[in-house]
Amino acid sequence: MPRWKPGAVDRLQTAALELFDEQGFERTTVAEIVQRAGLTQRTFFNHFADKREVLFGLSSELQQEIIGEIAAGDSALPPLDVVMRALGAVADKMFEHRRAVVTHRYAVIAANPELLERELGKNAALTEAIAAALRERGGDPESAYLAVSVAMLAQQVAFRAWTRPGETRALRDLLQDALEAVRTTVNAASRALPA
């Protein structure tokens, strides 16, 4: 099998996701993934430590991209706006052109409790890293963590909508819709509180 075929990572992810669907995550082997992708096990292990990393391998790149966007963001913007702009920019760069694969990945993770637990752990680590980036910009720890938590909630809501069958709106647009829904909910709740 030639090593020089282009798109090895995408081909491995596509093959893995197909196999996870067909026979389940636990019953799928690396050997089956590489055979389906038309690549070698050496190529697989050059890109991924194990079959779980096919699903989570982009986590560190995602974090670096978001942190980079935050660092480059307008210092006059409030923390929540900085994070939302970063999430939108990274959504355009890393997800929009890979919608089918990302949607497929999301479904595989949601169907497997072990993978879902790992996903939640990765999201918690990402939240902490983004909050640290905001603090480096001079924000206070409480405001930074609150801004990131709200942004991550909006991201989860947007991601669920984006991965639904038939959804055609861009993730960036869904992020803004989700943030507006959070703001509306908070405003309604604050008006309902006794004076």
Side-chain angles (χ1 to χ4, degrees):
M1 287 180 231
R3 314 180 276 175
W4 59 83
K5 287 184 180 178
V9 170
D10 285 342
R11 289 172 52 211
L12 288 165
Q13 287 177 323
T14 299
L17 289 167
E18 288 171 358
L19 288 163
F20 296 161
D21 267 354
E22 292 168 15
Q23 58 196 35
F25 174 79
E26 294 299 331
R27 291 188 303 275
T28 299
T29 66
V30 170
E32 292 168 323
I33 294 169
V34 298
Q35 181 180 5
R36 170 87 47 108
L39 296 166
T40 64
Q41 286 198 18
R42 182 175 182 181
T43 301
F44 181 92
F45 289 113
N46 282 339
H47 296 286
F48 305 108
D50 57 36
K51 69 181 181 180
R52 287 178 305 180
E53 287 306 305
V54 172
L55 299 169
F56 298 103
L58 291 177
S59 295
S60 62
E61 182 184 349
L62 174 66
Q63 180 173 315
Q64 290 172 0
E65 290 290 334
I66 293 171
I67 300 303
E69 290 289 336
I70 288 171
D74 184 347
S75 60
L77 289 176
L80 180 57
D81 292 343
V82 170
V83 177
M84 291 302 293
R85 284 178 186 234
L87 293 176
V90 172
D92 290 346
K93 183 176 185 177
M94 291 186 67
F95 296 131
E96 209 59 52
H97 67 285
R98 305 177 79 235
R99 187 178 202 142
V101 171
V102 174
T103 299
H104 203 163
R105 173 196 177 274
Y106 186 78
V108 169
I109 290 172
N112 186 306
E114 176 192 337
L115 297 175
L116 188 55
E117 183 177 337
R118 185 175 177 127
E119 176 84 340
L120 293 172
K122 294 273 190 184
N123 284 342
L126 179 59
T127 298
E128 291 296 333
I130 296 171
L134 285 178
R135 289 192 302 272
E136 286 178 20
R137 289 171 48 97
D140 71 271
E142 291 79 19
S143 295
Y145 190 77
L146 184 58
V148 175
S149 296
V150 170
M152 294 301 283
L153 176 62
Q155 183 188 45
Q156 289 173 9
V157 170
F159 220 80
R160 283 177 188 237
W162 189 68
T163 57
R164 284 190 194 119
E167 180 57 67
T168 59
R169 291 173 290 171
L171 182 54
R172 173 187 285 278
D173 296 335
L174 292 166
L175 281 165
Q176 290 307 313
D177 291 349
L179 180 59
E180 189 57 38
V182 170
R183 286 184 169 142
T184 300
T185 302
V186 169
N187 288 338
S190 65
R191 285 192 298 273
L193 292 174

